[in-house]
Amino acid sequence: IEEQLKANLKILNEELIEKIEDHQDFMGDLSFFLFKVHKIETEISCADIKKYFDNYKDTIDRIRKKYIEEKPILINYLRLLLIMNNCNEVGHIRRASWEFEGVLFSLINNRNHLNTEDFKELCSLDNNERILIDFCKNKIFGKAENDEIFKLDEFSTEKFIKGWLILKVVNAENENVCLAFYDGNETGVSAYVDKNSNRLITTEDFSWGNSICGFGVRSGFGSGNYVHYTNNDFWLNPKIIDTPFSEIAFDKKNRTKEQIKKNNEKISELIEIIYNRHELSKNDTEKKVYNDIGSLNLR
């Protein structure tokens, strides 16, 4: 049936089908655009195919080309949706220390998204920026709630990095900026496996406000293996991933408990945006966790 549909589509709209087959991700294979065939054995129209392809170009291709001028917020949420679907997975970085793990946020170096239900559904929507953003938000925030991403009493680098990126994307939306297209030297957004090594002030307990993600540096690209953070010129810039959200001084010797408190308050506001404005359900225990997160020490 699939091969027959392909042949019929080429007869109906040869130019469109050739454009799709020439795309680097499909290399002559239309299977992705015919995913409905695997669910219901029926014809698929050229109008549907065009919708899928237009959405594909406006999502994956937009990320690949770093074309952000028109739709920076959409680009942020699209990159995050791919992470939340494990298209790139948090884990050990090749030729890097086992003391930290990371994930590529801006680089698409596989076709894993083609097999995710979320992405298939995304490509079937009307090509409208607001619709695409809202779809991404609902999927991302729903996964965050189900996986208790912001509840780090049982710490893992996966939860920490995903939570950090969610907060960064929501903050970037508030500031109307696109997060920088940067993945280190293909090491990705990184954090230490030992949660206390991610603290901004080492004498204070680990919390969201007293922590930071950076980018991994592996042997052969500098002096050893470690997680690197941005320099003073970009510190506290909302476009930058590896910097705190507010208040924290760049020089370690100038950091204070009061700055940590302010940073926690900022993060608490961002989490409230996620769980209140988007009306995700929470039970009473979860409400207390998220409402108290500004002062919560996550041991």
Side-chain angles (χ1 to χ4, degrees):
I1 293 177
E2 186 172 313
E3 291 303 319
Q4 183 180 349
L5 283 176
K6 287 181 184 179
N8 291 341
L9 285 168
K10 284 186 177 181
I11 293 173
L12 293 171
N13 198 326
E14 183 176 1
E15 182 179 356
L16 173 63
I17 300 308
E18 286 181 352
K19 285 182 180 179
I20 296 171
E21 290 186 322
D22 288 341
H23 191 282
Q24 69 182 79
D25 281 350
F26 308 113
M27 299 174 288
D29 183 9
L30 285 176
S31 296
F32 169 66
F33 292 96
L34 299 176
F35 66 84
K36 283 189 176 181
V37 175
H38 303 299
K39 297 180 180 179
I40 50 174
E41 295 183 358
T42 185
E43 293 185 3
I44 187 167
S45 70
C46 286
D48 286 338
I49 292 290
K50 185 177 186 305
K51 181 192 292 185
Y52 303 151
F53 192 49
D54 286 345
N55 274 335
Y56 199 89
K57 291 187 294 183
D58 210 26
T59 56
I60 295 298
D61 284 358
R62 187 175 286 274
I63 294 173
R64 277 212 180 96
K65 296 175 182 178
K66 303 178 183 178
Y67 181 52
I68 62 174
E69 287 79 4
E70 293 179 0
K71 302 178 180 180
I73 307 307
L74 176 60
I75 292 301
N76 291 336
Y77 278 105
L78 286 169
R79 286 182 283 174
L80 184 56
L81 182 66
L82 295 177
I83 295 295
M84 297 302 289
N85 273 284
N86 296 319
C87 295
N88 288 328
E89 296 186 30
V90 177
H92 176 65
I93 301 164
R94 188 174 63 88
R95 291 198 297 109
S97 168
W98 288 90
E99 293 181 357
F100 60 85
E101 296 181 329
V103 65
L104 296 173
F105 180 60
S106 298
L107 181 64
I108 298 175
N109 62 356
N110 58 50
R111 300 197 302 166
N112 293 342
H113 52 277
L114 295 180
N115 298 316
T116 66
E117 292 303 315
D118 282 355
F119 193 76
K120 290 176 182 179
E121 189 175 348
L122 176 75
C123 280
S124 70
L125 300 173
D126 290 337
N127 187 248
N128 174 283
E129 182 179 7
R130 188 70 258 167
I131 290 174
L132 297 178
I133 290 174
D134 287 345
F135 174 84
C136 290
K137 285 183 178 182
N138 287 335
K139 294 296 183 179
I140 290 164
F141 299 153
K143 293 177 190 295
E145 183 183 39
N146 291 337
D147 296 341
E148 297 185 318
I149 289 293
F150 296 111
K151 194 175 179 181
L152 290 180
D153 49 343
E154 294 184 7
F155 179 85
S156 73
T157 53
E158 180 178 5
K159 288 177 67 174
F160 181 50
I161 291 173
K162 285 182 176 180
W164 183 266
L165 288 172
I166 292 171
L167 293 170
K168 280 290 175 178
V169 167
V170 173
N171 188 58
E173 181 180 14
N174 286 351
E175 301 289 342
N176 195 32
V177 297
C178 186
L179 289 171
F181 274 79
Y182 181 72
D183 268 313
N185 200 315
E186 295 191 15
T187 54
V189 182
S190 303
Y192 289 103
V193 175
D194 175 7
K195 69 178 183 182
N196 287 323
S197 296
N198 299 303
R199 289 178 295 177
L200 291 160
I201 299 180
T202 58
T203 55
E204 297 299 313
D205 289 332
F206 176 90
S207 68
W208 277 110
N210 187 29
S211 61
I212 187 171
C213 285
F215 291 94
V217 176
R218 52 189 165 192
S219 57
F221 296 93
S223 55
N225 285 270
Y226 59 95
V227 177
H228 177 267
Y229 311 107
T230 195
N231 59 38
N232 193 31
D233 292 338
F234 296 104
W235 194 253
L236 300 183
N237 185 324
K239 295 181 180 181
I240 303 303
I241 292 172
D242 52 334
T243 184
F245 293 86
S246 71
E247 300 293 334
I248 307 295
F250 176 74
D251 291 329
K252 292 182 180 180
K253 65 179 183 295
N254 295 328
R255 295 174 187 171
T256 66
K257 288 184 180 181
E258 184 62 26
Q259 292 173 1
I260 295 296
K261 180 182 177 182
K262 293 290 186 182
N263 198 37
N264 261 322
E265 289 173 355
K266 174 68 173 180
I267 291 170
S268 181
E269 291 173 4
L270 295 173
I271 292 175
E272 285 302 309
I273 289 173
I274 294 168
Y275 284 93
N276 289 341
R277 294 186 188 176
H278 299 284
E279 298 180 348
L280 292 176
S281 62
K282 294 182 292 183
N283 61 39
D284 290 340
T285 301
E286 288 172 327
K287 284 182 180 178
K288 186 177 188 307
V289 169
Y290 298 121
N291 289 339
D292 292 347
I293 199 161
S295 59
L296 186 65
N297 290 326
L298 301 172
R299 295 183 176 86

